[in-house]
Coordinates of all heavy atoms in Angstrom, one line a residue:
M1 N -47.7 52.3 9.3 CA -46.3 51.8 9.6 C -46.2 50.4 9.2 O -47.0 49.6 9.5 CB -46.1 52.0 11.1 CG -44.7 51.7 11.5 SD -44.5 52.5 13.1 CE -43.2 51.5 13.6
M2 N -45.2 50.1 8.4 CA -45.0 48.8 7.8 C -44.0 47.9 8.5 O -43.9 46.8 8.2 CB -44.7 48.9 6.3 CG -45.7 49.6 5.5 SD -45.2 49.9 3.8 CE -45.1 48.2 3.2
G3 N -43.3 48.4 9.5 CA -42.3 47.7 10.2 C -40.9 47.8 9.5 O -40.7 48.5 8.5
W4 N -39.9 47.2 10.1 CA -38.6 47.4 9.6 C -38.3 46.7 8.2 O -37.5 47.2 7.5 CB -37.5 46.9 10.6 CG -37.6 45.4 10.8 CD1 -38.4 44.7 11.6 CD2 -36.8 44.4 10.1 NE1 -38.1 43.4 11.5 CE2 -37.1 43.2 10.6 CE3 -35.8 44.5 9.1 CZ2 -36.6 42.0 10.1 CZ3 -35.2 43.4 8.7 CH2 -35.6 42.1 9.2
A5 N -39.0 45.6 7.9 CA -38.7 44.9 6.7 C -39.4 45.6 5.5 O -39.0 45.4 4.3 CB -39.2 43.5 6.8
G6 N -40.4 46.4 5.7 CA -41.1 47.0 4.7 C -40.4 48.2 4.0 O -40.7 48.6 2.9
E7 N -39.4 48.7 4.7 CA -38.6 49.8 4.2 C -37.4 49.4 3.4 O -36.6 50.2 3.0 CB -38.2 50.7 5.3 CG -39.4 51.3 6.0 CD -39.1 52.0 7.3 OE1 -37.9 52.3 7.5 OE2 -40.0 52.4 8.0
L8 N -37.1 48.1 3.3 CA -35.9 47.6 2.5 C -36.1 47.8 1.0 O -37.2 47.6 0.5 CB -35.6 46.1 2.8 CG -35.1 45.8 4.2 CD1 -34.9 44.3 4.3 CD2 -33.7 46.5 4.4
T9 N -35.1 48.2 0.4 CA -35.2 48.2 -1.1 C -34.7 46.9 -1.7 O -34.4 45.9 -0.9 CB -34.2 49.3 -1.6 OG1 -32.9 49.0 -1.2 CG2 -34.6 50.7 -1.1
W10 N -34.7 46.8 -3.0 CA -34.2 45.5 -3.6 C -32.8 45.2 -3.2 O -32.5 44.0 -3.0 CB -34.3 45.6 -5.1 CG -35.7 45.4 -5.6 CD1 -36.6 46.4 -6.0 CD2 -36.5 44.2 -5.6 NE1 -37.8 45.9 -6.4 CE2 -37.7 44.5 -6.1 CE3 -36.2 42.9 -5.3 CZ2 -38.7 43.5 -6.3 CZ3 -37.1 41.9 -5.5 CH2 -38.4 42.3 -6.0
S11 N -32.0 46.1 -3.1 CA -30.6 45.8 -2.7 C -30.5 45.3 -1.3 O -29.7 44.4 -1.0 CB -29.7 47.1 -2.9 OG -30.2 48.1 -2.1
G12 N -31.3 45.8 -0.4 CA -31.4 45.3 1.0 C -31.8 43.8 1.0 O -31.3 43.0 1.8
W13 N -32.8 43.5 0.2 CA -33.3 42.1 0.2 C -32.3 41.2 -0.4 O -32.1 40.0 0.1 CB -34.6 42.0 -0.6 CG -35.8 42.5 0.1 CD1 -36.4 43.7 -0.1 CD2 -36.5 41.9 1.1 NE1 -37.5 43.9 0.7 CE2 -37.5 42.7 1.5 CE3 -36.3 40.7 1.8 CZ2 -38.4 42.4 2.5 CZ3 -37.2 40.3 2.8 CH2 -38.3 41.2 3.2
I14 N -31.5 41.7 -1.4 CA -30.5 40.8 -2.0 C -29.3 40.6 -1.0 O -28.9 39.5 -0.9 CB -30.0 41.5 -3.3 CG1 -31.1 41.4 -4.4 CG2 -28.7 40.8 -3.8 CD1 -30.8 42.2 -5.6
V15 N -28.9 41.6 -0.3 CA -27.9 41.5 0.7 C -28.3 40.5 1.8 O -27.5 39.7 2.2 CB -27.4 42.9 1.2 CG1 -26.6 42.7 2.5 CG2 -26.8 43.7 0.2
M16 N -29.5 40.7 2.2 CA -30.0 39.8 3.3 C -30.1 38.3 2.8 O -29.7 37.4 3.5 CB -31.4 40.2 3.7 CG -31.9 39.5 4.9 SD -33.4 40.2 5.7 CE -34.5 40.4 4.3
A17 N -30.5 38.1 1.6 CA -30.6 36.7 1.0 C -29.2 36.1 0.9 O -28.9 35.0 1.2 CB -31.3 36.7 -0.3
V18 N -28.2 36.9 0.4 CA -26.8 36.4 0.3 C -26.2 36.1 1.6 O -25.5 35.1 1.8 CB -26.0 37.5 -0.5 CG1 -24.5 37.1 -0.4 CG2 -26.4 37.6 -1.9
C19 N -26.5 37.0 2.6 CA -25.9 36.7 4.0 C -26.5 35.4 4.6 O -25.8 34.7 5.2 CB -26.2 37.9 4.9 SG -25.1 39.3 4.5
M20 N -27.8 35.2 4.3 CA -28.5 34.0 4.9 C -27.9 32.8 4.2 O -27.6 31.8 4.9 CB -30.0 34.1 4.6 CG -30.7 32.9 5.2 SD -32.5 33.0 5.0 CE -32.6 32.8 3.2
V21 N -27.7 32.8 2.9 CA -27.1 31.7 2.2 C -25.7 31.4 2.6 O -25.3 30.3 2.9 CB -27.2 31.9 0.6 CG1 -26.3 30.8 -0.1 CG2 -28.6 31.8 0.2
A22 N -24.9 32.5 2.8 CA -23.5 32.3 3.3 C -23.5 31.7 4.7 O -22.7 30.9 5.0 CB -22.8 33.7 3.3
F23 N -24.4 32.2 5.6 CA -24.5 31.6 6.9 C -24.7 30.1 6.9 O -24.0 29.4 7.6 CB -25.6 32.3 7.7 CG -25.9 31.7 9.0 CD1 -25.1 31.9 10.1 CD2 -27.0 30.9 9.2 CE1 -25.3 31.3 11.3 CE2 -27.3 30.3 10.4 CZ -26.4 30.5 11.5
W24 N -25.7 29.7 6.1 CA -26.0 28.2 6.1 C -24.9 27.4 5.4 O -24.6 26.3 5.8 CB -27.3 28.0 5.4 CG -28.5 28.4 6.3 CD1 -29.3 29.4 6.2 CD2 -28.8 27.7 7.6 NE1 -30.2 29.5 7.2 CE2 -29.9 28.4 8.1 CE3 -28.3 26.7 8.3 CZ2 -30.4 28.1 9.3 CZ3 -28.8 26.3 9.5 CH2 -29.9 27.0 10.0
V25 N -24.2 28.0 4.4 CA -23.0 27.3 3.8 C -22.0 27.1 4.9 O -21.4 26.0 5.0 CB -22.5 28.1 2.6 CG1 -21.2 27.6 2.2 CG2 -23.5 28.0 1.4
V26 N -21.7 28.1 5.7 CA -20.7 28.0 6.7 C -21.1 27.0 7.8 O -20.3 26.1 8.2 CB -20.4 29.4 7.4 CG1 -19.6 29.2 8.6 CG2 -19.7 30.3 6.4
V27 N -22.3 27.0 8.2 CA -22.8 26.0 9.1 C -22.7 24.6 8.6 O -22.2 23.7 9.3 CB -24.3 26.3 9.5 CG1 -24.9 25.2 10.3 CG2 -24.3 27.6 10.4
I28 N -23.1 24.4 7.4 CA -23.0 23.0 6.8 C -21.5 22.6 6.6 O -21.2 21.4 6.9 CB -23.8 23.0 5.4 CG1 -25.3 23.1 5.7 CG2 -23.5 21.7 4.7 CD1 -26.1 23.3 4.5
Y29 N -20.7 23.5 6.2 CA -19.3 23.2 6.1 C -18.7 22.8 7.4 O -17.9 21.8 7.5 CB -18.5 24.4 5.5 CG -17.0 24.2 5.4 CD1 -16.4 23.4 4.4 CD2 -16.2 24.8 6.4 CE1 -15.1 23.3 4.4 CE2 -14.8 24.6 6.3 CZ -14.3 23.9 5.3 OH -12.9 23.7 5.3
L30 N -18.9 23.6 8.5 CA -18.4 23.2 9.8 C -18.9 21.9 10.3 O -18.2 21.1 10.9 CB -18.7 24.3 10.8 CG -18.0 25.7 10.5 CD1 -18.5 26.7 11.5 CD2 -16.5 25.5 10.6
M31 N -20.2 21.6 10.0 CA -20.7 20.3 10.4 C -20.1 19.2 9.7 O -19.7 18.1 10.2 CB -22.2 20.2 10.2 CG -23.0 21.2 11.1 SD -23.0 20.7 12.8 CE -24.0 19.3 12.8
A32 N -19.8 19.4 8.4 CA -19.1 18.3 7.6 C -17.7 18.1 8.0 O -17.2 17.0 8.1 CB -19.2 18.7 6.1
M33 N -17.0 19.2 8.4 CA -15.6 19.0 8.9 C -15.6 18.3 10.3 O -14.7 17.6 10.6 CB -15.0 20.4 9.0 CG -14.6 21.1 7.7 SD -13.5 20.1 6.8 CE -14.5 19.5 5.4
M34 N -16.6 18.5 11.1 CA -16.7 17.9 12.4 C -16.9 16.4 12.2 O -16.3 15.6 13.0 CB -17.8 18.4 13.2 CG -17.5 19.7 13.9 SD -18.8 20.4 14.9 CE -19.7 19.0 15.6
F35 N -17.6 15.9 11.3 CA -18.0 14.5 11.2 C -17.3 13.8 10.0 O -17.7 12.7 9.7 CB -19.5 14.4 11.0 CG -20.2 14.8 12.2 CD1 -21.0 16.0 12.2 CD2 -20.1 14.2 13.4 CE1 -21.7 16.4 13.3 CE2 -20.8 14.6 14.6 CZ -21.6 15.7 14.5
R36 N -16.3 14.4 9.4 CA -15.7 13.7 8.2 C -14.9 12.5 8.8 O -14.3 12.6 9.9 CB -14.9 14.7 7.4 CG -13.6 15.1 8.0 CD -12.9 16.0 7.1 NE -11.5 16.1 7.6 CZ -10.6 16.8 7.1 NH1 -10.9 17.6 6.1 NH2 -9.4 16.8 7.6
T37 N -14.7 11.5 7.9 CA -14.0 10.3 8.4 C -12.7 10.1 7.7 O -12.0 9.1 8.1 CB -14.9 9.1 8.1 OG1 -15.2 9.0 6.7 CG2 -16.2 9.1 8.8
D38 N -12.3 10.9 6.8 CA -11.0 10.7 6.1 C -9.8 11.2 6.9 O -8.7 11.2 6.4 CB -11.1 11.2 4.7 CG -11.3 12.7 4.7 OD1 -11.7 13.3 5.7 OD2 -11.0 13.3 3.6
R39 N -10.0 11.7 8.1 CA -8.9 12.2 8.9 C -8.1 11.1 9.5 O -8.6 10.0 9.8 CB -9.4 13.1 10.0 CG -10.1 14.3 9.7 CD -10.4 15.1 10.9 NE -11.6 14.5 11.6 CZ -12.2 15.1 12.5 NH1 -11.8 16.3 13.0 NH2 -13.2 14.6 13.1
G40 N -6.8 11.3 9.6 CA -6.0 10.3 10.3 C -6.2 10.4 11.8 O -6.6 11.5 12.3
T41 N -5.9 9.4 12.5 CA -6.0 9.4 14.0 C -4.8 9.9 14.7 O -4.9 10.3 15.8 CB -6.3 8.0 14.5 OG1 -5.3 7.1 14.1 CG2 -7.7 7.5 14.0
G42 N -3.7 9.9 14.0 CA -2.5 10.4 14.6 C -1.8 11.5 13.8 O -2.4 12.0 12.9
P43 N -0.5 11.7 14.1 CA 0.2 12.7 13.4 C 0.4 12.2 11.9 O 0.4 11.0 11.7 CB 1.5 12.9 14.1 CG 1.6 11.6 14.9 CD 0.2 11.2 15.2
V44 N 0.7 13.2 11.1 CA 0.9 12.8 9.7 C 2.2 12.1 9.5 O 3.2 12.4 10.1 CB 1.0 14.1 8.8 CG1 1.3 13.8 7.4 CG2 -0.3 14.9 9.0
R45 N 2.2 11.0 8.7 CA 3.4 10.2 8.5 C 4.4 10.9 7.7 O 4.0 11.6 6.7 CB 3.1 8.9 7.9 CG 2.1 8.0 8.7 CD 2.1 6.7 8.2 NE 3.0 5.9 9.0 CZ 3.2 4.6 8.8 NH1 2.5 4.0 7.8 NH2 4.0 3.9 9.5
T46 N 5.6 10.8 8.0 CA 6.7 11.5 7.2 C 7.3 10.5 6.3 O 7.1 9.3 6.4 CB 7.7 12.1 8.2 OG1 8.3 11.1 8.9 CG2 7.1 13.1 9.1
T47 N 8.2 11.0 5.4 CA 8.9 10.1 4.5 C 9.8 9.1 5.3 O 10.2 8.1 4.8 CB 9.7 10.8 3.5 OG1 10.6 11.7 4.1 CG2 8.7 11.6 2.6
R48 N 10.3 9.6 6.5 CA 11.1 8.7 7.3 C 10.4 7.4 7.7 O 11.0 6.4 7.8 CB 11.6 9.5 8.5 CG 12.5 8.7 9.4 CD 13.0 9.6 10.5 NE 13.5 8.8 11.6 CZ 13.3 9.0 12.8 NH1 12.6 10.0 13.2 NH2 13.8 8.2 13.7
D49 N 9.1 7.5 7.9 CA 8.3 6.4 8.3 C 8.1 5.4 7.2 O 7.8 4.2 7.4 CB 7.0 6.8 8.9 CG 7.2 7.5 10.2 OD1 8.2 7.4 10.9 OD2 6.3 8.3 10.6
T50 N 8.2 5.9 5.9 CA 8.0 5.0 4.8 C 9.2 4.5 4.2 O 9.2 3.8 3.1 CB 7.2 5.8 3.7 OG1 7.9 6.9 3.4 CG2 5.8 6.2 4.3
D51 N 10.4 4.7 4.8 CA 11.6 4.2 4.3 C 11.6 2.7 4.5 O 11.5 2.2 5.7 CB 12.8 4.8 5.0 CG 14.1 4.3 4.6 OD1 14.3 4.0 3.4 OD2 15.1 4.3 5.4
P52 N 11.8 1.8 3.5 CA 11.7 0.4 3.6 C 12.8 -0.2 4.6 O 12.5 -1.1 5.4 CB 12.0 -0.1 2.2 CG 11.8 1.0 1.3 CD 12.0 2.2 2.1
L53 N 14.0 0.4 4.6 CA 15.0 -0.1 5.5 C 14.6 0.2 6.9 O 14.8 -0.7 7.8 CB 16.4 0.5 5.1 CG 17.6 -0.1 5.8 CD1 17.7 -1.6 5.6 CD2 18.8 0.6 5.4
R54 N 14.1 1.4 7.2 CA 13.7 1.7 8.5 C 12.5 0.8 9.0 O 12.5 0.4 10.2 CB 13.2 3.2 8.5 CG 12.7 3.7 9.8 CD 13.8 4.2 10.6 NE 13.2 4.9 11.8 CZ 13.8 4.9 13.0 NH1 14.9 4.3 13.1 NH2 13.2 5.4 14.0
L55 N 11.6 0.5 8.1 CA 10.5 -0.4 8.5 C 11.0 -1.8 8.8 O 10.5 -2.4 9.7 CB 9.4 -0.4 7.4 CG 8.6 0.8 7.1 CD1 7.8 0.7 5.9 CD2 7.8 1.2 8.3
L56 N 12.0 -2.2 8.0 CA 12.6 -3.6 8.3 C 13.2 -3.6 9.6 O 13.1 -4.6 10.4 CB 13.5 -3.9 7.1 CG 14.2 -5.3 7.2 CD1 13.2 -6.4 7.0 CD2 15.3 -5.4 6.2
E57 N 14.0 -2.5 9.9 CA 14.7 -2.5 11.2 C 13.7 -2.5 12.4 O 13.9 -3.1 13.4 CB 15.6 -1.2 11.3 CG 16.8 -1.3 10.4 CD 17.5 0.0 10.3 OE1 17.0 1.0 10.7 OE2 18.6 -0.1 9.7
E58 N 12.5 -1.8 12.2 CA 11.5 -1.7 13.3 C 10.9 -3.1 13.4 O 10.6 -3.5 14.6 CB 10.4 -0.7 12.9 CG 10.9 0.7 13.1 CD 9.9 1.7 12.6 OE1 8.7 1.3 12.3 OE2 10.2 2.9 12.6
R59 N 10.6 -3.8 12.3 CA 10.1 -5.2 12.4 C 11.0 -6.1 13.2 O 10.6 -7.0 14.0 CB 9.8 -5.7 11.0 CG 8.5 -5.1 10.4 CD 8.2 -5.7 9.1 NE 7.9 -7.1 9.3 CZ 7.9 -8.1 8.3 NH1 8.2 -7.7 7.1 NH2 7.6 -9.3 8.6
F60 N 12.3 -6.0 12.9 CA 13.3 -6.8 13.5 C 13.4 -6.5 15.0 O 13.5 -7.4 15.9 CB 14.7 -6.6 12.9 CG 15.8 -7.4 13.5 CD1 15.8 -8.8 13.5 CD2 16.8 -6.8 14.2 CE1 16.8 -9.6 14.1 CE2 17.9 -7.5 14.7 CZ 17.8 -8.9 14.7
A61 N 13.3 -5.2 15.4 CA 13.3 -4.8 16.8 C 12.1 -5.3 17.5 O 12.2 -5.6 18.7 CB 13.4 -3.3 16.9
R62 N 11.0 -5.3 16.9 CA 9.8 -5.8 17.6 C 9.8 -7.4 17.7 O 9.0 -7.9 18.4 CB 8.5 -5.4 16.8 CG 8.1 -4.0 16.9 CD 6.7 -3.8 16.4 NE 6.5 -4.3 15.0 CZ 6.5 -3.5 13.9 NH1 6.7 -2.2 14.0 NH2 6.3 -4.1 12.7
G63 N 10.6 -8.0 16.9 CA 10.7 -9.5 17.0 C 9.8 -10.2 15.9 O 9.5 -11.4 16.0
D64 N 9.3 -9.4 15.0 CA 8.4 -10.0 13.9 C 9.2 -10.9 13.0 O 8.6 -11.9 12.5 CB 7.8 -8.9 13.1 CG 6.8 -8.0 13.9 OD1 6.4 -8.5 15.0 OD2 6.4 -6.9 13.5
I65 N 10.5 -10.6 12.8 CA 11.3 -11.4 11.9 C 12.6 -11.8 12.7 O 13.0 -11.1 13.6 CB 11.7 -10.7 10.6 CG1 12.3 -9.4 10.9 CG2 10.4 -10.5 9.7 CD1 12.8 -8.6 9.6
D66 N 13.2 -12.9 12.2 CA 14.4 -13.4 12.9 C 15.6 -12.8 12.2 O 15.5 -12.1 11.2 CB 14.5 -14.9 12.9 CG 14.5 -15.5 11.6 OD1 14.3 -14.8 10.6 OD2 14.8 -16.7 11.5
C67 N 16.8 -13.1 12.8 CA 18.0 -12.5 12.3 C 18.3 -12.8 10.9 O 18.8 -12.0 10.1 CB 19.2 -12.9 13.3 SG 20.7 -12.1 12.9
G68 N 18.2 -14.1 10.5 CA 18.5 -14.5 9.2 C 17.6 -13.8 8.1 O 18.1 -13.4 7.1
E69 N 16.3 -13.7 8.4 CA 15.4 -13.1 7.5 C 15.7 -11.6 7.4 O 15.7 -11.0 6.3 CB 14.0 -13.3 7.9 CG 12.9 -12.7 7.0 CD 11.5 -13.0 7.4 OE1 11.3 -13.7 8.4 OE2 10.6 -12.5 6.7
F70 N 16.1 -11.0 8.5 CA 16.5 -9.6 8.5 C 17.7 -9.3 7.6 O 17.7 -8.4 6.8 CB 16.8 -9.1 10.0 CG 17.4 -7.7 10.0 CD1 16.6 -6.6 9.8 CD2 18.7 -7.5 10.3 CE1 17.1 -5.3 9.9 CE2 19.3 -6.3 10.4 CZ 18.5 -5.2 10.1
V71 N 18.7 -10.1 7.8 CA 19.9 -10.0 7.0 C 19.6 -10.2 5.5 O 20.1 -9.4 4.7 CB 21.0 -10.9 7.5 CG1 22.2 -10.9 6.6 CG2 21.5 -10.5 8.9
A72 N 18.8 -11.2 5.2 CA 18.5 -11.5 3.8 C 17.7 -10.3 3.1 O 18.1 -9.9 2.0 CB 17.8 -12.8 3.7
R73 N 16.7 -9.8 3.8 CA 15.9 -8.8 3.3 C 16.7 -7.5 3.2 O 16.5 -6.7 2.3 CB 14.7 -8.6 4.1 CG 13.7 -9.7 3.9 CD 12.5 -9.5 4.8 NE 11.6 -10.6 4.7 CZ 10.3 -10.5 4.2 NH1 9.8 -9.4 3.8 NH2 9.6 -11.6 4.1
R74 N 17.6 -7.2 4.2 CA 18.4 -6.0 4.2 C 19.3 -6.0 3.0 O 19.5 -5.0 2.3 CB 19.2 -5.9 5.5 CG 20.0 -4.7 5.6 CD 20.6 -4.6 7.0 NE 21.4 -3.4 7.2 CZ 22.7 -3.5 7.0 NH1 23.3 -4.6 6.8 NH2 23.5 -2.4 7.1
Q75 N 19.9 -7.2 2.7 CA 20.8 -7.3 1.6 C 20.0 -7.0 0.3 O 20.6 -6.4 -0.6 CB 21.5 -8.7 1.5 CG 22.5 -8.9 2.6 CD 23.7 -8.0 2.5 OE1 24.1 -7.6 1.4 NE2 24.3 -7.6 3.6
M76 N 18.8 -7.5 0.2 CA 18.0 -7.3 -1.0 C 17.7 -5.8 -1.2 O 17.7 -5.3 -2.3 CB 16.7 -8.1 -1.0 CG 17.0 -9.6 -1.2 SD 15.4 -10.5 -1.2 CE 14.7 -9.9 -2.7
L77 N 17.4 -5.1 -0.1 CA 17.1 -3.7 -0.2 C 18.3 -2.9 -0.5 O 18.2 -1.9 -1.3 CB 16.5 -3.2 1.2 CG 15.1 -3.6 1.5 CD1 14.7 -3.2 2.9 CD2 14.1 -3.0 0.5
I78 N 19.5 -3.2 0.0 CA 20.7 -2.4 -0.2 C 21.2 -2.6 -1.6 O 21.6 -1.7 -2.3 CB 21.7 -2.8 0.9 CG1 21.3 -2.3 2.2 CG2 23.1 -2.2 0.5 CD1 22.2 -2.7 3.4
H79 N 21.1 -3.9 -2.1 CA 21.7 -4.2 -3.4 C 20.7 -4.2 -4.5 O 20.9 -4.8 -5.6 CB 22.4 -5.5 -3.4 CG 23.6 -5.5 -2.4 ND1 24.7 -4.8 -2.7 CD2 23.8 -6.1 -1.2 CE1 25.6 -5.0 -1.7 NE2 25.0 -5.7 -0.8
G80 N 19.5 -3.6 -4.3 CA 18.6 -3.4 -5.4 C 17.9 -4.7 -5.8 O 17.6 -4.8 -7.0
G81 N 17.6 -5.6 -5.0 CA 16.9 -6.8 -5.3 C 17.8 -8.0 -5.7 O 17.3 -9.1 -5.8
E82 N 19.1 -7.7 -5.9 CA 20.0 -8.8 -6.2 C 20.7 -9.2 -4.9 O 21.4 -8.4 -4.3 CB 21.0 -8.3 -7.3 CG 20.4 -8.0 -8.6 CD 21.4 -7.5 -9.6 OE1 22.6 -7.8 -9.3 OE2 21.0 -7.0 -10.6
V83 N 20.7 -10.5 -4.6 CA 21.4 -11.0 -3.5 C 22.9 -11.2 -3.9 O 23.1 -11.9 -4.8 CB 20.8 -12.3 -3.0 CG1 21.6 -12.8 -1.8 CG2 19.4 -12.1 -2.6
P84 N 23.8 -10.5 -3.2 CA 25.2 -10.7 -3.6 C 25.7 -12.1 -3.3 O 25.3 -12.7 -2.3 CB 25.9 -9.6 -2.8 CG 25.1 -9.4 -1.6 CD 23.7 -9.6 -2.1
S85 N 26.5 -12.6 -4.2 CA 27.0 -14.0 -4.0 C 28.1 -13.9 -3.1 O 28.9 -13.0 -3.0 CB 27.4 -14.5 -5.4 OG 28.5 -13.8 -5.9
T86 N 28.3 -15.0 -2.4 CA 29.4 -15.1 -1.4 C 30.6 -15.8 -2.0 O 31.6 -15.9 -1.3 CB 28.9 -15.9 -0.1 OG1 28.4 -17.2 -0.5 CG2 27.8 -15.2 0.6
E87 N 30.5 -16.3 -3.2 CA 31.6 -17.0 -3.9 C 32.6 -16.0 -4.4 O 32.2 -14.9 -4.8 CB 31.1 -17.8 -5.1 CG 30.1 -18.9 -4.7 CD 29.5 -19.6 -5.9 OE1 30.0 -19.3 -7.0 OE2 28.7 -20.4 -5.8
P88 N 33.9 -16.3 -4.3 CA 34.9 -15.3 -4.9 C 34.7 -15.3 -6.4 O 34.4 -16.2 -7.1 CB 36.2 -15.9 -4.5 CG 35.9 -17.4 -4.1 CD 34.5 -17.5 -3.7
R89 N 35.0 -14.1 -6.9 CA 34.9 -13.9 -8.4 C 36.1 -14.6 -9.1 O 37.2 -14.5 -8.6 CB 34.9 -12.4 -8.7 CG 33.7 -11.7 -8.2 CD 33.7 -10.3 -8.7 NE 32.5 -9.6 -8.3 CZ 32.3 -8.4 -8.5 NH1 33.2 -7.7 -9.2 NH2 31.2 -7.8 -8.0
K90 N 35.8 -15.2 -10.2 CA 36.9 -15.8 -11.0 C 37.2 -14.9 -12.1 O 36.3 -14.2 -12.7 CB 36.4 -17.1 -11.5 CG 36.1 -18.1 -10.4 CD 35.6 -19.4 -11.0 CE 35.3 -20.4 -9.8 NZ 34.7 -21.6 -10.3
G91 N 38.4 -14.8 -12.5 CA 38.8 -14.0 -13.6 C 40.1 -13.3 -13.2 O 40.6 -13.3 -12.1
R92 N 40.6 -12.6 -14.2 CA 41.9 -11.9 -14.1 C 41.6 -10.5 -13.6 O 40.7 -9.8 -14.1 CB 42.6 -11.9 -15.4 CG 44.0 -11.6 -15.3 CD 44.7 -11.8 -16.6 NE 44.2 -10.7 -17.5 CZ 45.0 -10.0 -18.3 NH1 46.2 -10.3 -18.4 NH2 44.5 -9.1 -19.1
V93 N 42.4 -10.0 -12.7 CA 42.3 -8.6 -12.2 C 43.4 -7.9 -12.9 O 44.6 -8.2 -12.9 CB 42.5 -8.6 -10.7 CG1 42.4 -7.1 -10.3 CG2 41.5 -9.4 -10.0
S94 N 43.0 -6.8 -13.6 CA 44.0 -6.0 -14.3 C 44.4 -4.9 -13.4 O 43.5 -4.3 -12.7 CB 43.5 -5.5 -15.6 OG 42.3 -4.7 -15.4
G95 N 45.6 -4.5 -13.4 CA 46.0 -3.5 -12.5 C 46.9 -2.4 -13.1 O 47.4 -2.1 -14.0

């Protein structure tokens, strides 16, 4: 009597080796997922959080910037980087 392993054919040994390799691959993968460091600590940021105007308003609400700086930066964001002039336009208006 040779025991239970002596009666396996080549296909049995191959299936057993593949299952053992698959088991260790799963164990290593799960360990890597447990200790990976590239995860965020909070919920995923949405595009709403990356809106420049929204970020500017949040900084103003926290008191990081004063009213004058808020207005100037808001005008730059709204008008595409060009600060609108406060002088009246000169020229003829056609109607």
Side-chain angles (χ1 to χ4, degrees):
M1 187 160 154
M2 299 176 66
W4 67 273
E7 298 172 8
L8 287 178
T9 60
W10 280 104
S11 61
W13 285 103
I14 291 172
V15 168
M16 188 170 50
V18 169
C19 288
M20 183 179 66
V21 169
F23 170 77
W24 285 112
V25 166
V26 169
V27 168
I28 292 170
Y29 174 78
L30 291 175
M31 294 293 286
M33 290 298 111
M34 277 179 34
F35 296 111
R36 72 179 200 186
T37 59
D38 62 341
R39 297 186 280 192
T41 57
V44 179
R45 298 191 100 179
T46 60
T47 56
R48 181 176 160 220
D49 294 337
T50 58
D51 180 33
L53 190 56
R54 176 89 173 146
L55 291 174
L56 182 66
E57 290 170 350
E58 288 176 4
R59 287 185 61 200
F60 180 65
R62 284 193 309 257
D64 294 344
I65 57 176
D66 61 350
C67 184
E69 186 176 358
F70 171 74
V71 171
R73 288 180 184 242
R74 185 171 175 264
Q75 290 295 329
M76 287 182 70
L77 286 173
I78 291 173
H79 295 291
E82 296 180 14
V83 178
S85 65
T86 56
E87 299 175 5
R89 293 185 180 178
K90 295 179 182 176
R92 195 172 71 133
V93 178
S94 60

